[in-house]
């Protein structure tokens, strides 16, 4: 580190967990809201829980007064530093009153109380509440809250908080409101909104007859784009009652949308605060994917009411207990609303593209980390998506009925308390006789298990033997691994593709054999159907993959077999390209794509997925030394060749699936548009952008328009420039659509993409305070491998420049961006040196935040 740089924070370790010395039974908060200087008065009812002093977290707070049991405390009665306040001699029962001043308008980190748009908003997970008032800011301290707030009635007429509203009005020229939450909650679930907002109102009647007032609060002018979110909320509430027996428990459920937000949304009890990207949607401004993301995130945050709010996590090491479980629940919900197979494909694609990559690099960590420097850095796909896969494995092993019994037990035993992953395991174990102890290794060991198989047929005994081997690669700090418990959903197929036998095997050993008595030798084995475990299956032949792609009854495995076959073919072509050979289209791949088109009407959404060639990043992950230029060239050549040789078939499909109504966002319409846009990609690669230009100009919704624009931006010239200018002029006043304008250019295949992104970085609409805009440009660009990894190193420098600028104002976003440099070892020596140089430049910055320091130093280690 450079002289003067902030030293790294000591690691917080799971092994060091101790119960809090004091618990808080009740909190009274009083807010005098002013953007420049807000006054927060707090009254805490405390009681001793364990030995030790009274420690209250607090950051960037100006202490105005402090009193214990009504007695003002002098400076000699407490210690105050940058991390908080300590009282060494506190009675076992006490009332602590403090008054602090904070500056919401100066809060660019968007953590704690900050201003955005027309008012005040909060984000307290994981450690934002300590920026509002002094408090034991940890999830195992659960209290009941009473909140009173006052503000200028002209500027901030809407005053919202958790729970139920007790009173509201105007007194002494100030608007006021009082809210009370009857349920104990940790401080990270506290929420406050004070703004000039309007709402869409509705109501929901629970199965027990309780009427719940529903409100979605947005900036003026956005209220007409909330209908889909409201309908999704009501669907999610009903689904949770029907599937898990969980009913909403307050009289009011509010959602407030804000454009400046670090994450997607926050499940604060009774007052969810959302990124506008996951609330606002209509067919003219939102794509089908946006509509589905709104549905998914609305459901996810609502489901947290029980798995996160009523039952929370004991400490942040247990984060996946609430997030992994709730991701699993929202995945199940979305599967029920749309195509289960297509939803599973989308989830696994995300897992492989992000979490598998992290597991294979320097940032690998277990689902329950053993330590952290900054907990903000562990809101990762390992915690969320891999954590959801662990929950799914519980259900795969014990079955749906037993899983539901386990969930009922988990909620009943841990309601209104802070739990651990062992508590969840114990609830599931109580519902089955199957030994689940080995599943806990999934929380402790990082890395993606690699599975290989061997087969043997004994003709005389009519016995088929399947031998499975598991290997878990070493990861940072974990060189040796123990065998995991892995559910293997499988089927033995005959020559026609029919199942001869199907069951879920439990792989517990490093090497384990399973025998089956059958009338004849199976033609093929279908393993890990519906992706029954987050593993990598190794060593399947192309012949086997081709057979499964054509015949497997499991739609996920059919798709996956085609993806694996295409990957093998394309990687072989990459090697040929590196040797100077021209691309040759594989006949089996051509036939598989043709067969998909012939059968597309049966399930257009699935066909759209099957037509999509493996992502460039996934192809790179299967190379010893990634070559982004060769991968891109080969994948583009394959798209062009397929578009040419199957031109008639693609043209027919494009015409056949163009009849969906522009504003129809039901499953069949979304599937038809997805297929048509996938087909457009092949036709554009083969014959130029004329068809894309026609679709762009005649599009009836944003899905069609943006898909066409994505192809137009691949070819520099007047057509591209006119389309981008027209799009900007039409939508520059709609921020979420303007994000798409930035993003579509950052993802372009055009040769000048790096230069375009560099120019966009200085665009007047490039707002660093808005995380959505940063993600739209920089995150999109880093997901464009051949352009981000430009041999000049210009992409790496651009990223590092943004990281250093953001680290000064929003280190949480900066730390997430820097991880794109973390896989430098996968590339050629020249690129390695360029990426390392930028990481070293980041780490050389004086006063680098702990967030960015942790991620950059791990990436470079």
């Amino acid at each position: 580190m450079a002289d003067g740089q902030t030293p790294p924070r000591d690691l917080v370790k799971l092994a060091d967990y101790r119960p809090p010395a004091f618990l808080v039974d009740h909190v009274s908060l009083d807010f005098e809201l002013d953007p420049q200087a807000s006054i927060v008065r707090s009254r805490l009812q405390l009681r001793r829980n364990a030995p030790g002093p009274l420690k209250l977290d607090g950051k960037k707070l100006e202490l105005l007064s402090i009193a214990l049991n009504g007695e003002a405390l002098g400076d000699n009665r407490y210690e105050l530093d940058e991390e908080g306040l300590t009282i060494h001699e506190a009675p076992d029962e006490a009332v602590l009153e403090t008054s602090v001043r904070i500056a919401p308008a100066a809060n660019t980190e968007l953590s704690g109380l900050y201003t955005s748009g027309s008012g005040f908003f909060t984000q307290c997970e994981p450690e934002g509440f300590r920026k509002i008032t002094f408090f034991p800011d940890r999830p195992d301290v659960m209290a009941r809250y009473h909140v009173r707030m006052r503000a200028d009635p002209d500027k901030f007429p809407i005053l919202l908080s958790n729970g139920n509203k007790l009173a509201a009005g105007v007194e002494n020229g100030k608007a006021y409101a009082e809210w009370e939450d009857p349920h104990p909650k940790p401080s990270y679930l506290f929420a406050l909104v004070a703004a000039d907002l309007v709402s869409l109102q509705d109501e929901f009647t629970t199965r027990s007859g309780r009427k719940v007032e529903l409100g979605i609060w947005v900036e003026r002018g956005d209220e007409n784009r909330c209908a889909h979110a409201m309908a999704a909320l009501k669907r999610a509430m009903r689904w949770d009652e029907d599937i898990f027996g969980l009913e909403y428990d307050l009289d009011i459920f509010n959602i407030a949308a804000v454009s400046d937000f670090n994450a997607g949304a926050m499940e604060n009890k009774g007052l969810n605060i959302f990124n506008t990207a996951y609330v606002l949607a209509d067919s003219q401004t939102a794509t089908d994917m946006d509509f589905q993301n709104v549905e998914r995130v609305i459901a996810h945050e609502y489901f947290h009411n029980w798995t996160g709010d009523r039952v929370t996590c004991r400490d942040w090491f247990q984060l996946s207990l609430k997030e992994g479980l709730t991701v699993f629940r929202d995945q199940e919900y979305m599967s029920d609303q749309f195509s289960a197979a297509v939803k599973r494909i989308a989830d696994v694609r995300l897992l492989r593209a992000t979490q598998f990559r992290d597991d294979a690099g320097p940032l690998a960590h277990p689902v329950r980390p053993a330590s952290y420097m900054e907990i903000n850095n562990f809101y990762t796909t390992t915690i969320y998506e891999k954590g959801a896969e662990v929950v799914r494995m519980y259900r795969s092993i014990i079955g749906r009925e037993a899983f539901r019994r386990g969930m009922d037990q988990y909620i009943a035993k841990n309601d209104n308390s802070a739990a651990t992953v062992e508590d969840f395991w114990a609830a599931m174990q109580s519902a089955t006789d199957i030994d689940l102890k080995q599943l806990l290794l999934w929380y402790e060991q990082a890395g993606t298990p690699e599975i290989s198989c061997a087969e043997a047929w004994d003709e005389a005994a009519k016995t088929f033997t399947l031998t499975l081997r598991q290997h878990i690669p070493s990861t940072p700090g974990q060189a040796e691994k123990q065998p995991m418990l892995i559910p293997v959903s499988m089927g033995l197929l005959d020559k026609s593709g029919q199942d001869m036998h199907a069951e879920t095997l439990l792989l517990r050993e490093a090497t384990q054999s399973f025998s089956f008595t059958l009338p004849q030798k199976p033609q093929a084995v279908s393993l890990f159907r519906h992706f029954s475990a987050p593993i990598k299956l190794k060593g399947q032949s192309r012949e086997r993959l081709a057979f499964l792609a054509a015949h497997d009854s499991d739609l996920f495995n059919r798709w996956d077999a085609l993806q694996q076959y295409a990957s093998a073919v394309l990687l072989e072509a990459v090697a040929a390209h590196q040797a100077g050979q021209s691309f040759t289209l594989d006949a089996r791949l051509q036939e598989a794509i043709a067969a998909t088109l012939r059968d597309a009407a049966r399930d257009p959404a699935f066909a759209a997925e099957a037509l999509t060639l493996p992502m460039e990043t996934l192809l790179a992950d299967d190379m010893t030394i990634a070559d982004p230029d060769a991968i891109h060239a080969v994948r583009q050549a394959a798209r062009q060749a397929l578009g040419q040789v199957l031109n008639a078939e693609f043209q027919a499909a494009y015409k056949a699936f163009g009849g969906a109504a522009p504003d129809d966002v039901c499953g069949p319409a979304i599937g038809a548009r997805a297929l048509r846009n996938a087909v457009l990609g092949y036709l554009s690669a083969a014959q130029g952008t004329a068809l894309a230009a026609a679709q762009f100009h005649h599009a009836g919704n944003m899905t069609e328009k943006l898909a066409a624009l994505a192809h137009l931006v691949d070819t520099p010239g007047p057509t591209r420039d006119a389309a981008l200018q027209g799009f900007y002029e039409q939508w520059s006043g709609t921020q979420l659509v303007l994000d798409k304008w930035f993003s579509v250019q950052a993802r372009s295949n055009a040769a000048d993409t790096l230069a375009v992104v560099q120019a966009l970085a200085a665009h007047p609409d490039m707002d660093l305070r808005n995380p959505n805009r940063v993600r739209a440009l920089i995150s999109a660009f880093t997901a464009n491998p051949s352009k981000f990894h430009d041999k000049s190193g210009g992409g790496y420098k651009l990223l590092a420049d943004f990281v250093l600028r953001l680290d000064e104002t929003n280190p949480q976003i900066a730390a997430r961006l820097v991880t794109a440099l973390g896989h430098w070892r996968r590339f050629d020596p020249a690129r390695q040196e360029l990426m390392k140089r930028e990481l070293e430049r980041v780490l050389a910055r004086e006063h680098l935040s702990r967030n960015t320091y942790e991620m950059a130093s791990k990436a470079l280690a």
Side-chain angles (χ1 to χ4, degrees):
M1 292 184 299
D3 291 341
Q5 182 173 329
T6 302
R9 173 183 179 179
D10 291 339
L11 287 179
V12 180
K13 299 179 180 179
L14 172 61
D16 293 340
Y17 172 83
R18 299 293 182 273
F22 283 82
L23 297 177
V24 182
D25 290 324
H26 190 270
V27 182
S28 294
L29 297 174
D30 185 283
F31 289 85
E32 292 282 356
L33 293 170
D34 179 272
Q36 307 303 322
S38 290
I39 305 299
V40 184
R41 300 178 182 87
S42 169
R43 186 178 188 274
L44 311 182
Q45 293 183 2
L46 302 156
R47 60 183 168 88
R48 182 170 292 281
N49 180 61
L54 172 59
K55 291 187 175 182
L56 305 174
D57 300 294
K59 297 186 70 174
K60 300 183 179 180
L61 307 176
E62 180 187 353
L63 180 62
L64 303 178
S65 66
I66 179 170
L68 187 65
N69 287 338
E71 178 186 355
L73 297 184
D75 294 351
N76 63 331
R77 298 280 303 278
Y78 61 89
E79 295 178 7
L80 183 65
D81 59 27
E82 292 182 352
E83 297 297 327
L85 185 153
T86 302
I87 300 175
H88 288 282
E89 297 180 0
D92 290 348
E93 293 189 3
V95 173
L96 180 70
E97 296 171 283
T98 61
S99 177
V100 301
R101 180 161 37 227
I102 57 178
N107 182 356
T108 61
E109 296 180 6
L110 311 184
S111 173
L113 178 66
Y114 64 93
T115 59
S116 174
S118 70
F120 298 85
F121 298 85
T122 56
Q123 171 57 29
C124 292
E125 185 178 354
E127 296 179 341
F129 193 71
R130 65 190 62 189
K131 299 173 185 176
I132 295 175
T133 189
F134 289 103
F135 196 82
D137 189 15
R138 45 189 289 172
D140 56 353
V141 175
M142 302 179 69
R144 290 177 170 83
Y145 282 67
H146 177 277
V147 177
R148 180 179 174 87
M149 63 192 96
R150 288 180 291 278
D152 185 323
D154 296 323
K155 295 180 180 179
F156 316 111
I158 302 301
L159 304 175
L160 307 173
S161 192
N162 309 89
N164 297 317
K165 183 188 288 188
L166 300 181
V170 177
E171 61 180 15
N172 300 322
K174 292 290 182 96
Y176 79 92
E178 290 187 37
W179 292 78
E180 186 170 70
D181 188 349
H183 300 285
K185 64 174 179 284
S187 53
Y188 80 84
L189 291 173
F190 170 76
L192 176 152
V193 172
D196 184 12
L197 303 177
V198 293
S199 68
L200 174 65
Q201 294 288 319
D202 206 331
E203 70 173 28
F204 178 83
T205 302
T206 69
R207 62 180 181 177
S208 67
R210 176 199 292 268
K211 288 193 179 297
V212 181
E213 297 176 19
L214 306 178
I216 298 181
W217 298 86
V218 296
E219 296 282 353
R220 295 182 183 276
D222 288 336
E223 59 268 30
N224 293 330
R225 292 194 282 159
C226 298
H228 180 70
M230 181 63 80
L233 174 59
K234 296 173 73 173
R235 283 191 291 269
M237 296 177 79
R238 184 64 66 204
W239 184 89
D240 215 16
E241 291 184 348
D242 293 342
I243 303 302
F244 285 98
L246 298 174
E247 181 178 323
Y248 189 63
D249 52 357
L250 290 169
D251 299 330
I252 298 173
F253 186 88
N254 280 318
I255 291 173
V258 58
S259 61
D260 298 318
F261 203 72
N262 283 340
M266 182 60 212
E267 68 268 20
N268 315 298
K269 183 74 177 177
L271 175 56
N272 286 189
I273 298 181
F274 267 65
N275 187 323
T276 52
Y278 300 103
V279 171
L280 305 180
D282 62 28
S283 63
Q284 294 305 302
T285 61
T287 65
D288 291 340
M289 181 61 71
D290 294 329
F291 275 96
Q292 291 188 307
N293 281 336
V294 168
E295 182 106 27
R296 174 181 59 83
V297 179
I298 289 281
H300 179 94
E301 303 307 328
Y302 173 75
F303 295 155
H304 266 312
N305 184 63
W306 283 95
T307 53
D309 294 3
R310 287 284 289 262
V311 182
T312 192
C313 49
R314 185 195 71 178
D315 52 71
W316 291 120
F317 296 102
Q318 322 293 330
L319 179 58
S320 188
L321 181 64
K322 74 181 186 76
E323 294 300 347
L325 176 55
T326 306
V327 168
F328 167 78
R329 277 155 47 73
D330 81 52
Q331 289 175 348
E332 289 297 289
Y333 168 78
M334 292 297 287
S335 293
D336 286 349
Q337 305 307 307
F338 300 97
S339 164
V342 171
K343 173 58 178 169
R344 192 68 182 130
I345 289 167
D347 292 339
V348 173
R349 182 186 283 118
L350 172 65
L351 189 77
R352 287 173 171 167
T354 55
Q355 198 281 321
F356 277 21
R357 173 171 295 179
D358 286 349
D359 255 354
L363 301 177
H365 63 85
V367 173
R368 179 168 63 181
S371 64
Y372 61 80
M373 186 182 299
E374 279 291 340
I375 186 56
N376 278 306
N377 290 336
F378 282 88
Y379 284 73
T380 64
T381 51
T382 296
I383 301 295
Y384 282 66
E385 278 71 26
K386 188 175 182 178
E389 295 300 318
V390 176
V391 175
R392 186 177 300 277
M393 286 191 289
Y394 274 106
R395 192 184 68 178
S396 296
I397 292 169
I398 68 176
R400 289 179 179 269
E401 292 185 4
F403 182 81
R404 171 61 193 272
R405 292 197 301 272
M407 278 293 299
D408 291 347
Q409 179 76 352
Y410 172 66
I411 297 294
K413 292 200 69 173
N414 298 283
D415 190 16
N416 287 322
S417 67
T420 66
V421 297
E422 284 80 8
D423 293 320
F424 185 77
W425 168 85
M428 291 297 155
Q429 187 63 80
S430 72
T432 182
D433 293 330
I434 301 171
D435 185 358
L436 302 175
K437 188 69 173 179
Q438 202 176 354
L439 267 178
L440 290 173
L441 287 173
W442 283 93
Y443 293 99
E444 299 168 6
Q445 295 185 159
T448 304
E450 297 175 351
I451 308 297
S452 59
C453 63
E455 303 166 15
W457 171 253
D458 185 331
E459 179 65 30
K462 297 294 185 182
T463 300
F464 178 77
T465 301
L466 175 68
T467 299
L468 300 175
R469 296 180 176 86
Q470 61 168 298
H471 167 69
I472 308 167
S474 61
T475 53
Q478 293 183 339
E480 301 295 329
K481 305 294 177 72
Q482 300 178 54
M484 309 267 242
L485 171 55
I486 301 175
V488 184
S489 179
M490 53 81 69
L492 302 176
L493 281 61
D494 64 18
K495 291 181 180 180
S496 67
Q498 298 299 308
D499 281 357
M500 303 169 64
H501 178 81
E503 68 172 293
T504 297
L505 309 175
L506 298 185
L507 176 61
R508 294 181 179 272
E509 308 297 334
T511 301
Q512 195 169 343
S513 294
F514 305 87
S515 294
F516 310 89
T517 300
L518 301 167
Q520 62 189 35
K521 180 182 178 181
Q523 179 68 24
V525 182
S526 173
L527 294 172
F528 295 99
R529 287 179 158 181
H530 212 61
F531 203 64
S532 59
I535 58 86
K536 294 181 179 179
L537 182 57
K538 299 288 189 176
Q540 295 198 96
S541 69
R542 290 195 194 180
E543 291 71 20
R544 171 67 57 81
L545 291 170
F547 180 85
L548 294 173
H551 298 291
D552 202 330
S553 60
D554 183 84
L555 280 180
F556 174 84
N557 268 20
R558 186 181 294 181
W559 168 84
D560 197 33
L562 179 54
Q563 288 285 298
Q564 299 304 320
Y565 183 88
S567 293
V569 166
L570 294 176
L571 287 171
E572 184 177 82
V574 168
H577 178 88
Q578 291 171 322
Q581 301 174 24
S582 59
F583 178 80
T584 301
L585 181 60
D586 180 84
R588 280 182 173 171
L589 179 59
Q590 176 185 327
E591 172 52 30
I593 297 297
T596 300
L597 289 169
R598 288 193 298 269
D599 198 38
R602 181 178 301 180
D603 189 343
F606 175 78
E609 296 288 353
L611 288 176
T612 304
L613 294 177
M615 298 166 58
E616 293 179 25
T617 52
L618 294 179
L619 293 170
D621 289 344
D622 285 334
M623 297 181 69
T624 304
I625 301 296
D627 186 341
D629 295 327
I631 292 171
H632 179 71
V634 164
R635 192 175 184 275
Q636 290 298 100
R639 284 162 53 82
Q640 182 180 36
L642 287 164
Q644 290 171 343
V645 74
L646 298 174
N647 188 269
E649 291 88 338
F650 281 121
Q651 291 281 5
Y654 186 81
K655 293 177 182 177
F657 291 93
D663 58 352
D664 185 353
V665 291
C666 68
I670 290 174
R673 282 191 291 268
L675 177 58
R676 194 167 189 253
N677 286 330
V679 165
L680 178 64
Y682 283 99
L683 292 173
S684 296
Q687 61 190 35
T689 59
L691 186 60
Q695 177 170 311
F696 178 78
H697 290 297
H698 297 99
N701 57 36
M702 184 55 67
T703 301
E704 296 169 348
K705 197 172 195 70
L706 195 65
L709 183 60
H711 298 301
L712 294 179
V713 299
D714 286 348
T715 305
T719 301
R720 177 185 76 171
D721 296 344
L724 286 170
Q725 183 62 28
F727 192 94
Y728 178 83
E729 290 175 356
Q730 181 178 4
W731 297 111
S732 60
T734 306
Q735 293 305 304
L736 292 178
V737 183
L738 190 57
D739 288 339
K740 302 180 192 303
W741 183 81
F742 277 91
S743 183
V744 75
Q745 296 178 77
R747 296 180 185 275
S748 169
N749 291 320
D752 64 348
T753 295
L754 174 57
V756 168
V757 173
Q758 289 169 331
L760 288 172
H763 193 280
D765 289 311
M766 186 61 221
D767 181 5
L768 284 184
R769 180 184 167 92
N770 182 259
N772 285 348
R773 188 59 45 81
V774 173
R775 287 186 284 258
L777 182 65
I778 303 304
S779 296
F781 178 59
T782 61
N784 187 348
S786 66
K787 309 310 173 190
F788 175 60
H789 294 290
D790 186 90
K791 289 182 178 179
S792 68
Y796 309 146
K797 182 180 184 303
L798 176 71
L799 174 62
D801 287 345
F802 265 84
V803 168
L804 290 171
R805 291 169 64 190
L806 283 162
D807 190 69
E808 298 176 355
T809 57
N810 193 333
Q812 184 179 149
I813 299 299
R816 291 177 183 176
L817 290 178
V818 81
T819 60
L821 296 170
H823 300 279
W824 58 269
R825 294 171 182 82
R826 299 294 317 283
F827 295 88
D828 58 86
R831 285 187 172 96
Q832 285 189 21
E833 187 59 35
L834 291 168
M835 295 172 84
K836 286 172 60 181
R837 182 186 305 169
E838 297 305 326
L839 283 169
E840 290 166 350
R841 181 161 70 94
V842 169
L843 286 168
R845 167 67 65 88
E846 291 190 0
H847 307 297
L848 190 70
S849 72
R850 294 189 292 230
N851 303 67
T852 304
Y853 173 85
E854 179 176 30
M855 303 310 282
S857 59
K858 284 184 175 180
L860 195 58

